[in-house]
Each structure stands twice: as C-alpha cells, then as structure tokens.
Amino acid sequence: MKALAIHGKEDIRWEDREAPSPGEGEVRLRVNYVGICGSDLHYYFHGANGEYTIREPLTPGHELSGVVDLDPSGRLAPGTPVTVHPARYGVEVPGLENHPHLRPGGDYFGSAAANPHRQGGASELLIVEDHMVRVLPASLPLERAALAEPLAVAIHAVSLAGDITGKRVLVIGAGPIGLLVVAAALHAGAAVVGASDVREEPLDRATSLGATEVSLVGRDTIENESYDVVFECSGVGVALTQAVRAARRVGTIVQVGMLPNADIGVNLAPMLAKELTIRGAFRFSTEIDDAVALLAESDALDSVISHVLPASDAVQAFELARDSSASAKVLLSL
C-alpha cells in the first residue's frame, strides 16, 4: 500500500508501506478522499503547526471518507461507506463531562502534538478504532462526505454563539472553514450572513453559499456595531480587532481561526464598553453526526470542494490549497 508522509519543511513523499492488520476493536478502511486542512499546510510548508514540530515522518489528514476494508468483528461489511471522527479523548476531568474534546491528553489524526506522532488518514489503508467510524447514508457521496469533519468544526463554532435565529452574522475569512461557517450559520437561522476576506474569489464563493453582504479588505468598510455575532475564521490578529469593532453591544465573537502561538497586536479596548463575549472554538464533540446528516440532505456544499487531485500529486495539491484565489477545499484521492 501507499501513504503520504511529511518528513520536514516542503518534503512530502508518496511512500510504500506494509498493509496494516486490525486488532480487536479496530476496523481497517480503504480511504478514498482526504481533505487538506490548514494544519496540514503548516506541517508541509513550515515543518510545524504552531508549537508542534515534526520530529518523525507524519502522515497528514483528518478529513476523510472511504469504505470498510476489514472489520474483524463482522459488524461492518466490506464496502460500507464511512467517515471518521478523528479524535481520541483524554481522561475524564471534572467539569468537562459535556466537553470531551477539551480533555487534556487526547489526540487527533495527523498531528505532531504527541511523540510518537498521531498518524493521519492520507493512506490507502487505515486502521481506526471502531467507535470512530460513522456509517454514511446512501444519499451521501464519498467525495462530499470528506467535508464532514470541517463542517463539524463549523457547526460546533456556530453552536457556541447560542441561538442566532434572526440575527445578523459576520464571517471574517472566507476560506474553507469560513465558507462552512457561512452555511452552518444560515442553517441555524441567521437572518443575514456577511463575509469579509482579503481576496475577491473567496467572497464570490461565500455569496454562492448564501452570504448577502461581502466586504473586501482594503476596499470596503464594515460599520462599527453592525453585526450581532462575528465568527473570526482567518486566524489573523488584526481580524480579531475588526471583529471587536464590528460586533454590536452585548454581542458575541467566536474565534474559530487558529491564532499564532505568539504575542500579537490586538485592540480589545471596545469590548469593555460593549460588554462583548469572546469565545474560543476548538474542534468539536459530537457534531460530526450533525454534519453527516446535513451533507446528506443536499448537494449545496459541493461547491466548497474546488479541486480533487491524486495523492501522488501532493506537492501540487498543497501548493494549490494554500492559494485562496485559486482554490477552496482541495481533496486528495487515494
């Protein structure tokens, strides 16, 4: 079998590996599609994602779909279409009973946070624990199902803002996650969803998903106190400053984009007089089930997938994925 492995900065290889065998409580999958995420881009282009540095070859990928290849328990027949919840949770902690994704000590597919690293899904054959498997409805194609993990992130972020029915919502950063937040916010009942980005192409994609107010950074002005809820999806400090300005009094800001692990300049002064709530959003808990159901309802989110390239063309795929003018979500086919 073949698998991708990032050996360091701009060093990714399509390597031969021995086919793995599932043990008790495990299932072997034949992976069809893997999405390229922002963390994957950091690992490839920088050799690190925030404070997590690659110390051994790392197979990327936590957004995936495929079919069952072998289930020793006999519960899942070969060919059953599936996606995967990519998290293993840490030990239970008092106060986090309803937030298992926040427990310390857990891990995630395609992450260098632990050593040895937690290998990811960009592999022709993949072993997963059986509780991670989510069987797909017959109406959900495997290609679209690769959006389940990032859509779960978006649904979780929207849920953190509370009831947004009838509210005005702004999404800053119209990359793949921002686009899915636009869709999730509309699905949750937002009356108006606006989008802001530094490039016109992502804004066009946001408009196609239902955003009705778009702002190009450097050209358009977002009025102060013009939105009830702001989702910051770019991970850029100055965008958080913009979020604080754009939010109305007693409004809510959800920080979805991964901010750099460094001291950065952010002006939070207006949050005091406005009594704003700023919440962080980290991955998700059970929302992948909601994401699968939403994706099965219609093909409305197919446009988020802009390109599908063979995993053997990973270098080209990663270059494409980091160019937001040219691409939205880029999938690898295995």
Side-chain angles (χ1 to χ4, degrees), residues 87-272:
R88 294 190 299 192
Y89 300 138
V91 297
E92 293 188 13
V93 175
L96 294 180
E97 291 82 2
N98 296 324
H99 308 279
H101 60 298
L102 300 182
R103 296 176 191 165
D107 61 23
Y108 215 71
F109 278 170
S111 173
N115 195 23
H117 300 336
R118 178 63 161 149
Q119 300 299 323
S123 176
E124 289 179 330
L125 295 174
L126 177 69
I127 301 294
V128 301
E129 296 169 21
D130 54 10
H131 62 86
M132 295 178 164
V133 175
R134 300 294 189 274
V135 175
L136 302 177
S139 60
L140 180 51
L142 284 175
E143 184 174 307
R144 189 190 311 155
L147 293 174
E149 193 275 348
L151 180 57
V153 171
I155 292 172
H156 178 69
V158 170
S159 74
L160 292 173
D163 185 3
I164 64 170
T165 303
K167 293 187 176 181
R168 288 176 51 80
V169 169
L170 174 65
V171 177
I172 299 179
I177 287 293
L179 293 174
L180 293 171
V181 170
V182 167
L186 287 167
H187 188 263
V192 173
V193 175
S196 172
D197 202 276
V198 297
R199 299 176 185 268
E200 292 186 358
E201 295 86 354
L203 293 178
D204 292 339
R205 299 182 192 112
T207 299
S208 71
L209 290 173
T212 54
E213 299 178 356
V214 297
S215 301
L216 181 66
V217 175
R219 183 193 69 186
D220 304 318
T221 300
I222 299 174
E223 296 297 326
N224 291 348
E225 302 189 29
S226 55
Y227 290 94
D228 302 300
V229 179
V230 182
F231 296 95
E232 200 300 290
C233 299
S234 72
V236 178
V238 68
L240 180 54
T241 296
Q242 176 64 77
V244 171
R245 290 174 179 160
R248 286 180 172 161
R249 294 165 191 260
V250 301
T252 299
I253 297 167
V254 181
Q255 182 63 42
V256 187
M258 291 294 290
L259 293 165
N261 184 34
D263 295 332
I264 57 176
V266 178
N267 183 1
L268 298 180
M271 70 175 287
L272 280 74

Side-chain angles (χ1 to χ4, degrees), residues 45-56:
F45 285 106
H46 308 294
N49 179 37
E51 60 184 313
Y52 305 132
T53 301
I54 290 178
R55 288 158 285 179
E56 64 179 3

